[in-house]
Amino acid sequence: MSSAHDFDFFHGEWQVLNRRRTDFLDPDSDWEEFPATNRCWSLFDGAANIDEMDVPSQGWKGLTLRLFDQETREWSLNWSASRTGRLFPPVIGYFVGRQGEFFGDDTHEGKDVRVRFVWSGISETTARWDQAFSVDGERTWVTNWVMDFTRRAAAASGTTSA
């Protein structure tokens, strides 16, 4: 079951390859790709964290606030982007092993959608996040955004002297 340290793997700095559908509800729409950088840090002794993603090629930044509910043992993931400054409705869920699934309700272009986030492929140096929408009560899903994370190499430490 989930714990307050499920997202410890994500602390630090990452390179991100984003793949996003041009139409979030059309499974046949094209994909666009763009790079980003991401930085995540811990709060509340691991029971919360924030990450900020910088997407200079798109001209925006995004952030996620993650909070672990000690009673329900579930996480809420709360997203916002600098384009709107709006906090989107949270997705809520938990990890089983090294995979997390989170669900919530939102609207997209005036349509009610069920939202699913999945965290998978988690290792010391990689992780994957994907988002899917359902408009038919979770019978079918359209994966519309995938982020592949690669940990940024730590800066070399030490100095040389002459």
Side-chain angles (χ1 to χ4, degrees):
M1 211 50 182
S2 271
S3 81
H5 294 282
D6 289 332
F7 280 99
D8 285 1
F9 75 90
F10 201 46
H11 302 156
E13 296 187 11
W14 300 82
Q15 290 295 128
V16 188
L17 175 60
N18 288 272
R19 293 184 67 236
R20 183 174 66 184
R21 287 211 182 270
T22 54
D23 181 335
F24 276 18
L25 299 176
D26 180 357
D28 297 320
S29 67
D30 290 334
W31 290 93
E32 62 176 335
E33 290 189 2
F34 52 93
T37 57
N38 195 85
R39 182 174 61 95
C40 179
W41 60 98
S42 178
L43 302 163
F44 298 168
D45 298 321
N49 64 62
I50 292 178
D51 76 76
E52 182 181 39
M53 184 169 65
D54 186 9
V55 190
S57 67
Q58 301 275 313
W60 56 270
K61 293 183 180 190
L63 72 80
T64 305
L65 168 64
R66 297 178 190 85
L67 299 166
F68 184 71
D69 184 318
Q70 300 288 348
E71 236 177 79
T72 65
R73 314 292 297 169
E74 293 180 314
W75 286 91
S76 63
L77 284 56
N78 306 270
W79 166 258
S80 183
S82 63
R83 293 175 293 198
T84 65
R86 185 182 121 199
L87 190 61
F88 284 77
V91 293
I92 297 172
Y94 54 88
F95 279 81
V96 174
R98 300 289 282 169
Q99 181 165 309
E101 290 192 6
F102 308 87
F103 295 88
D105 296 308
D106 203 346
T107 59
H108 180 73
E109 296 181 350
K111 293 183 182 177
D112 290 337
V113 295
R114 185 73 170 153
V115 180
R116 178 184 69 198
F117 288 2
V118 175
W119 278 96
S120 62
I122 296 167
S123 75
E124 291 291 319
T125 58
T126 62
R128 173 174 273 206
W129 170 89
D130 67 67
Q131 171 182 275
F133 286 175
S134 176
V135 294
D136 61 8
E138 298 186 25
R139 286 187 298 278
T140 61
W141 292 94
V142 175
T143 299
N144 53 41
W145 198 333
V146 177
M147 292 186 209
D148 286 310
F149 293 85
T150 304
R151 188 169 300 281
R152 293 175 72 176
S157 61
T159 58
T160 58
S161 57

